Amino acid sequence: MKHKWLICFFPLTLAILLGAQAWAQTARIVVEAMSPERLLEKKLTTNISSGLRNVPRGTYVYLSAQAAPGGTVQSVTWSLAVRPVGSTAVIDSVNKPFTTIRLDSVGQYVVRASITTNAGTKDTSVTLTAANFVGVGSVGGATPSLYKGQCAACHKGQLAILDDMVTPWSQTAHATMFQRGVDGKVAPYYSAACIRCHTTGYDANAKNGNFADLMKSAGWTFPSPLKAGNFDSLAVKYPDLAQVATIGCESCHGPGSLHYGDGDKIGRSMQVGVCAQCHDEPWRHSVVKQWENSKHSEPLYESAFAQAPTNANYKTNNLSNCVRCHDGRGFINFTQGKGTATETLTAAEPFSCTMCHEPHSTANPHQLRKVTADTLGNGQPITLGGVGQLCMNCHKSRHNGEVAARTYSSRFGPHYSIQTDMLLGTNAAEFGTPTSSSAHKYALENACVDCHMYATPDTGKPGRDKIGGHSFAVDADGVENVAACRSCHGPINSFDDIKAAYDFDRDGVVEGVQSEVKGLLARVANALPPPFKDSLIVKPTFSQSQLRAAYNYLFVSRDGSYGVHNAKYAIGLLQKSMDILTGVETVSYDLPETYTLTQNFPNPFNPTTEIQFSVPRESKLQLIIFDILGRKVKTLVDNVLPAGNYKASWDALDDNGQRVASGVYLYRIVAQSASGRGGEQFVMTKKMILLK
């Protein structure tokens, strides 16, 4: 599988500075990450790599020449322009698009490439920094050394201009994983094979101050048995080793021996490759594999999303700010109460691990960034959802539905992915009366997370790493992730096993909720002009009622669950929209056996009366009011109706909106089976009296 995250792993600050210029050139050099899984795929036996430009001395860096989107690399010539004194490093393949180089000495290297694409030739370069590991500096109660350049010497609050990043990090699971492992607090099978990912820079083939290097020189061996005190003993006997006996700062930022405050000599990246060093090693560690299969790995972005600092949306990060949810850095800024990225980018920061997880904090479960969502577009607060509120910050409509549904625009309709609004049963076009909502929102404590992140199937089973977990998907490989539903809905195997209460779409069969909702969607679309074909086309000529019905159609379809999130609300919205479009209201969903027309009630009436009728099958139907002389006064219904029991109201107004006089009136129903079977027709006329 091609790894989707193998794009440019520039430090974050550089990516922000480049902005729109990131792809202004025809080609570029990409420093690629190399996870354990990708090493296997490429049949390489070299070291893993984070994809940062700040790399451990003595390790391989993986470089590729890439054309701008839409282009192709035709040829490339690599050269090493600068290397430190004493280095004998060479480019391994000087004319292949993918190549490697082993940085054998501490210092900076400049790699150049002349890349010819279908758009021309581009000469470009990349600067790489090779350094040694120095360790956190405060592990085990040690005093950090500024002389050694240890992280805690500057990043533990001693410098007023820098935030304390070490103290909150020290309380994370990353910081204590190795300690808990050797102390017997992780699992009885914890072994030396586990510590590659639980220590800093582990590489038995590189002499650069990584854990394996210092372990060998110190003579430390993996303890047996696993018991409390093992780590404390290591910290006392081997204090330097203890500083890299953790998933520390340099695990994510690269070695820091040349850093000393120089931002160009340390790595900062939002790219998945940093986390993939350990989290992309199926079968056990398959978080990255799951993410690759998710829609989050392919963010939707366009340059129009960027906003200037003078824009009010930028300052307040309200729902009108696109960047807050369409750009990884934009979302992080939103969770921190900051303005969002202002660059006009052609490729957004990815929806990667650090978009949702804060590596330096334990403020929330799983180090999540923000689990309190702001209000919906109609002002309703979000009080449910647990940690699923993190998802709700973006998966909701940007508009007040009642307002947006009344005005046509080229972007008419609710924003895509309005799952929160649907789950909570609000913010659609209600037509003046509340629509019933199910209690589904109370079913799971963490809402989105409990369903969409339910454990992926076992290794070898259909859907493995494609549904559940960090794939966030609920169906793939012919299987649906309904495990979280079974506690309420029983031993179901698909969402369509959740049966509807009635035949809502009137096709003669009571089906699963999703099928009924899809049927209702088709009926609403067909009731709107022009007739529905492949997609709903909303036009500025639509009436207010038609616009609001179209809004509800888009609201339900863009939720994407087809009733699973909130069956009552989805069905209620579509049924109410059908009633408005057809001019009748559904009385019940029981299918009648014959056509009927009842006496209006009340009768006599003033000023409004109701007329009920039944249709046993889909029919072309007219319900028309005449005066006593047989002149047409008002057409109440002229539409194709599915089988059902209905009622229509007459308010004593004629087709011109004028109030009619008191007297006797006739109402007649003419119904013809829409299928035209047997020429069947039903005609019936009754009298009613208007008294003033």
Side-chain angles (χ1 to χ4, degrees):
M1 175 188 292
K2 180 179 179 181
H3 284 63
K4 299 176 183 178
W5 43 270
L6 294 173
I7 54 178
C8 183
F9 287 84
F10 292 176
L12 177 60
T13 50
L14 181 60
I16 291 177
L17 288 173
L18 288 177
Q21 300 175 1
W23 268 124
Q25 52 196 13
T26 58
R28 65 178 179 178
I29 297 172
V30 173
V31 182
E32 294 196 4
M34 197 62 60
S35 67
E37 177 69 2
R38 193 170 186 238
L39 284 172
L40 288 175
E41 291 174 359
K42 295 187 74 69
K43 299 180 179 179
L44 295 174
T45 57
T46 45
N47 54 269
I48 63 171
S49 177
S50 64
L52 298 172
R53 296 185 178 193
N54 182 59
V55 300
R57 177 174 69 92
T59 64
Y60 283 89
V61 178
Y62 307 92
L63 304 171
S64 66
Q66 294 186 8
T72 56
V73 174
Q74 297 175 345
S75 66
V76 59
T77 301
W78 297 94
S79 61
L80 185 57
V82 176
R83 63 185 176 189
V85 175
S87 170
T88 59
V90 295
I91 304 290
D92 293 314
S93 299
V94 296
N95 56 9
K96 294 182 179 180
F98 177 84
T99 191
T100 60
I101 179 173
R102 182 175 177 271
L103 307 186
D104 58 350
S105 299
V106 169
Q108 291 196 301
Y109 300 72
V110 177
V111 178
R112 289 180 178 168
S114 180
I115 307 170
T116 300
T117 70
N118 55 329
T121 299
K122 175 68 179 181
D123 293 331
T124 186
S125 64
V126 62
T127 299
L128 305 170
T129 300
N132 292 324
F133 292 101
V134 295
V136 177
S138 60
V139 178
T143 300
S145 168
L146 182 60
Y147 171 76
K148 294 180 180 179
Q150 290 180 322
C151 310
C154 293
H155 293 282
K156 200 178 179 182
Q158 288 91 333
L159 297 180
I161 61 172
L162 296 176
D163 293 333
D164 180 359
M165 306 300 287
V166 174
T167 299
W169 160 83
S170 67
Q171 300 168 27
T172 67
H174 276 171
T176 61
M177 185 65 193
F178 175 83
Q179 176 180 343
R180 289 179 287 117
V182 296
D183 281 355
K185 297 178 180 179
V186 173
Y189 53 78
Y190 193 83
S191 69
C194 302
I195 65 176
R196 180 189 70 79
C197 277
H198 300 161
T199 56
T200 301
Y202 192 99
D203 189 337
N205 299 315
K207 192 172 180 59
N208 53 29
N210 74 78
F211 183 86
D213 177 24
L214 297 188
M215 177 183 73
K216 183 177 180 180
S217 61
W220 181 84
T221 57
F222 192 83
S224 180
L226 301 175
K227 61 180 182 179
N230 281 339
F231 184 82
D232 289 342
S233 175
L234 180 154
V236 170
K237 293 181 180 179
Y238 313 104
D240 289 339
L241 180 62
Q243 305 316 307
V244 290
T246 180
I247 305 171
C249 316
E250 295 168 296
S251 297
C252 299
H253 296 285
S257 66
L258 297 182
H259 175 37
Y260 287 98
D262 186 343
D264 291 333
K265 294 178 181 177
I266 200 70
R268 283 162 291 182
S269 174
M270 285 184 61
Q271 301 289 347
V272 176
V274 174
C275 304
Q277 295 176 96
C278 293
H279 293 283
D280 187 33
E281 194 173 13
W283 56 277
R284 286 187 180 91
H285 308 295
S286 55
V287 169
V288 170
K289 186 68 63 179
Q290 293 166 12
W291 173 84
E292 286 178 345
N293 290 322
S294 77
K295 291 184 178 180
H296 278 187
S297 67
E298 298 178 346
L300 174 65
Y301 191 88
E302 59 185 63
S303 59
F305 291 169
Q307 292 163 328
T310 55
N311 188 296
N313 299 328
Y314 168 90
K315 295 178 180 178
T316 60
N317 253 316
N318 61 30
L319 287 172
S320 294
N321 191 344
C322 306
V323 179
R324 84 175 216 175
C325 287
H326 284 277
D327 177 87
R329 168 52 52 182
F331 183 75
I332 291 174
N333 287 346
F334 160 65
T335 66
Q336 295 173 344
K338 301 177 182 178
T340 54
T342 61
E343 296 73 30
T344 303
L345 305 174
T346 54
E349 286 290 345
F351 293 0
S352 58
C353 315
T354 54
M355 178 179 175
C356 294
H357 300 277
E358 165 53 73
H360 307 97
S361 173
T362 58
N364 297 305
H366 305 287
Q367 298 175 241
L368 296 177
R369 287 195 176 273
K370 183 179 180 181
V371 294
T372 53
D374 53 1
T375 61
L376 297 178
N378 63 354
Q380 177 171 319
I382 300 173
T383 59
L384 302 170
V387 296
Q389 283 197 32
L390 179 71
C391 315
M392 294 178 180
N393 280 302
C394 288
H395 288 270
K396 59 187 175 186
S397 176
R398 299 169 59 201
H399 311 294
N400 182 325
E402 288 289 357
V403 175
R406 297 171 185 268
T407 306
Y408 171 82
S409 72
S410 59
R411 291 180 177 269
F412 179 82
H415 194 262
Y416 293 88
S417 296
I418 47 83
Q419 290 82 11
T420 303
D421 304 68
M422 177 62 78
L423 180 68
L424 299 183
T426 185
N427 205 23
E430 302 280 6
F431 292 105
T433 57
T435 301
S436 295
S437 179
S438 75
H440 208 221
K441 57 191 174 187
Y442 303 109
L444 296 169
E445 179 182 359
N446 296 306
C448 327
V449 169
D450 288 343
C451 279
H452 288 267
M453 296 190 71
Y454 198 92
T456 193
D458 289 339
T459 301
K461 297 290 183 65
R464 171 70 182 186
D465 293 334
K466 295 181 181 179
I467 60 175
H470 283 79
S471 76
F472 309 105
V474 293
D475 62 271
D477 291 346
V479 295
E480 299 179 16
N481 198 14
V482 296
C485 310
R486 290 176 181 146
S487 60
C488 293
H489 294 284
I492 61 173
N493 294 309
S494 73
F495 292 108
D496 227 29
D497 287 342
I498 304 173
K499 297 301 179 184
Y502 300 98
D503 178 24
F504 293 106
D505 65 358
R506 318 292 175 77
D507 64 355
V509 182
V510 177
E511 302 160 293
V513 166
Q514 288 191 320
S515 294
E516 293 289 344
V517 169
K518 290 176 182 177
L520 269 174
L521 280 168
R523 288 198 173 278
V524 170
N526 275 303
L528 287 164
F532 174 73
K533 293 188 182 299
D534 297 323
S535 61
L536 180 68
I537 302 173
V538 182
K539 295 187 175 183
T541 54
F542 276 18
S543 68
Q544 281 284 304
S545 294
Q546 290 169 338
L547 282 174
R548 296 165 83 181
Y551 193 91
N552 287 340
Y553 172 95
L554 294 171
F555 188 95
V556 174
S557 61
R558 289 177 179 178
D559 164 61
S561 76
Y562 299 104
V564 172
H565 289 148
N566 193 334
K568 276 189 177 180
Y569 196 63
I571 290 170
L573 287 177
L574 296 176
Q575 187 62 67
K576 189 181 293 185
S577 299
M578 276 295 294
D579 291 347
I580 294 295
L581 292 173
T582 58
V584 298
E585 181 180 344
T586 301
V587 176
S588 78
Y589 295 101
D590 296 327
L591 294 182
E593 296 182 357
T594 61
Y595 289 103
T596 62
L597 177 66
T598 64
Q599 185 63 50
N600 66 301
F601 181 84
N603 189 40
F605 69 96
N606 180 22
T608 302
T609 189
E610 290 183 350
I611 302 168
Q612 293 194 15
F613 56 94
S614 299
V615 181
R617 61 189 60 84
E618 186 175 68
S619 301
K620 299 175 183 177
L621 186 139
Q622 288 184 326
L623 180 58
I624 301 175
I625 310 295
F626 298 90
D627 64 17
I628 196 64
L629 299 177
R631 293 173 298 195
K632 187 174 77 167
V633 174
K634 176 78 172 182
T635 299
L636 291 183
V637 182
D638 186 3
N639 221 314
V640 175
L641 298 179
N645 302 288
Y646 302 97
K647 67 179 179 181
S649 297
W650 186 40
D651 55 5
L653 299 179
D654 64 17
D655 281 332
N656 296 317
Q658 300 299 313
R659 189 161 299 280
V660 300
S662 299
V664 176
Y665 290 86
L666 307 174
Y667 58 99
R668 183 176 66 182
I669 187 171
V670 179
Q672 174 77 46
S673 174
S675 65
R677 289 183 298 172
E680 179 185 16
Q681 187 177 54
F682 173 75
V683 180
M684 180 173 283
T685 303
K686 289 182 179 290
K687 292 181 181 180
M688 58 183 168
I689 301 173
L690 170 61
L691 291 180
K692 293 186 179 180

